[in-house]
């Protein structure tokens, strides 16, 4: 967790430099504006992760919060997903209206060191710079997200690793403008916004499932978690007549075994974990509900 926190601070620093660089050269290009907004959105997941991590690590259990702040990470994941989806839809609307209205964006020139320079070259340089830090950080985030089973960190990692698509679309839009293809700018902006919406919808489906006590979901999408499926199989093999219910509270799993009496000998929840013991910390509770005697 400490390593993830340090990495997210670096993530915020490098994202801030990208936002500044992109903002200085975006001009009137719809592509650059959309890419700049997406890069600005990139600060939302790390900020939500840092807030959630602080609350999770320092928040104490109390009468008002008897489980501490186990689910605050899931709440942060939901907030980030809503922000991504909403802004992605707005960006797509702006790109579509610009395309329908046949708006002809222009990329002018600036005087740099006494020479006229096409602003598009600076835009291309900014786009290339915006690709490097996210890809490097994303590669470091993925193994940490898997160890912590942190969906917020995992989503941020995937967004960073897939940032090449945004950069490629942005470069194509700028080059298209340079070639006189007025529509290339809006088309590139639409492609970037669709990528944002895709990330947001996947995160929204997974985060909503957790908030309504759905079965634990996988890190990378709304599919059921492999850990949860293996745990359910393990419990069903020992209690074949029981009804097994699993839910996720943040990075932890809680299991309810309905219709059977608990074993005579006391067992720690980790006894039921089906896989390697290094991830047994995920199983926080196994509760038994005896059959109705009526």
């Amino acid at each position: 967790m400490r390593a993830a926190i340090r990495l997210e601070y670096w993530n915020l620093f490098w994202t801030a430099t990208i936002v500044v660089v992109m903002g200085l050269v975006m001009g009137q290009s719809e592509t650059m504006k959309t890419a700049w907004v997406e890069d600005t959105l990139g600060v939302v997941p790390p900020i939500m992760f840092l807030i959630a991590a602080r609350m999770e690590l320092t928040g104490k259990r109390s009468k008002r919060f008897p489980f501490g702040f186990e689910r605050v990470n899931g709440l942060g994941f939901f907030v980030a997903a809503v922000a991504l989806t909403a802004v992605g839809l707005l960006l797509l609307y702006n790109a579509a209206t610009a395309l329908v209205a046949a708006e002809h964006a222009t990329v002018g020139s600036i005087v740099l060191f006494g020479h006229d320079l096409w602003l598009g070259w600076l835009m291309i340089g900014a786009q290339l710079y915006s690709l490097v830090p996210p890809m490097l950080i994303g590669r470091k985030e993925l193994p940490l997200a898997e160890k912590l089973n942190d969906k917020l960190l995992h989503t941020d990692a995937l967004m960073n690793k897939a940032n090449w698509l945004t950069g490629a679309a942005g470069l194509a839009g700028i080059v298209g403008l340079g070639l006189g293809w007025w529509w290339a700018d809006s088309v590139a902006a639409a492609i970037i916004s669709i990528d944002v919406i895709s990330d947001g919808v996947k995160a929204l489906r997974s985060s909503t499932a957790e908030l309504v006590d759905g079965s634990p979901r996988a890190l990378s999408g709304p599919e059921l978690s492999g850990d949860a499926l293996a745990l359910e199989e393990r419990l069903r093999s020992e209690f074949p007549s029981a009804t097994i219910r699993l839910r996720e509270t943040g990075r932890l799993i809680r299991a309810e075994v309905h219709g059977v009496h608990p074993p005579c000998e006391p067992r720690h929840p980790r006894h039921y974990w089906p896989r390697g013991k290094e991830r047994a910390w995920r199983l926080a509770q196994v509760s038994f509900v005896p059959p109705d005697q009526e």
Side-chain angles (χ1 to χ4, degrees), residues 105-123:
T106 57
V107 178
S109 300
I110 61 170
V111 177
L112 193 65
F113 303 115
H115 299 279
D116 285 336
L117 182 68
W118 182 52
L119 188 58
W121 293 119
L122 296 181
M123 292 180 178

Side-chain angles (χ1 to χ4, degrees), residues 42-104:
V43 305
V44 175
I47 287 176
M48 295 308 302
F49 173 82
L50 290 171
I51 293 173
R54 181 174 178 83
M55 294 180 67
E56 189 178 355
L57 292 174
T58 63
K60 297 181 180 179
R61 302 180 191 276
S62 64
K63 190 172 183 179
R64 287 179 176 270
F65 296 97
F67 292 95
F69 295 93
E70 291 177 358
R71 303 188 78 162
V72 70
N73 181 270
L75 180 59
F77 185 38
F78 177 75
V79 171
V82 170
L84 281 173
T85 306
V87 176
L89 290 171
L90 179 61
L91 293 175
L92 181 60
Y93 171 78
N94 290 338
T97 53
L99 194 59
V100 171
E103 295 180 2
H104 290 59

Side-chain angles (χ1 to χ4, degrees), residues 26-36 91 94-95 98 103 105 177 185-186 188-190 192:
M26 67 179 177
Q28 298 180 347
S29 169
E30 194 69 33
T31 300
M32 291 297 293
K33 290 178 184 177
T34 306
W36 179 81
L91 293 175
N94 290 338
E103 295 180 2
L177 281 179
D185 190 46
S186 296
I192 295 172

Side-chain angles (χ1 to χ4, degrees), residues 226-255:
D227 283 348
L229 292 173
L231 175 60
E232 183 177 4
E233 184 178 349
R234 163 73 176 85
L235 291 171
R236 199 174 300 283
S237 66
E238 186 163 346
F239 309 102
S241 61
T243 300
I244 311 298
R245 298 177 186 173
L246 304 179
R247 62 189 175 94
E248 205 165 26
T249 55
R251 63 187 85 252
L252 303 177
I253 294 177
R254 298 182 182 274

Side-chain angles (χ1 to χ4, degrees), residues 1 49 73 145 148-155 219 251:
M1 179 66 85
F49 173 82
N73 181 270
L148 294 169
N149 200 74
D150 195 300
K151 294 178 182 175
L152 184 52
L153 189 63
H154 191 265
T155 299
L219 274 178
R251 63 187 85 252

Side-chain angles (χ1 to χ4, degrees), residues 149 151 206 216-226 248:
N149 200 74
K151 294 178 182 175
S206 184
R217 297 305 200 263
L219 274 178
S220 57
E223 299 81 14
L224 294 182
S225 164
E248 205 165 26

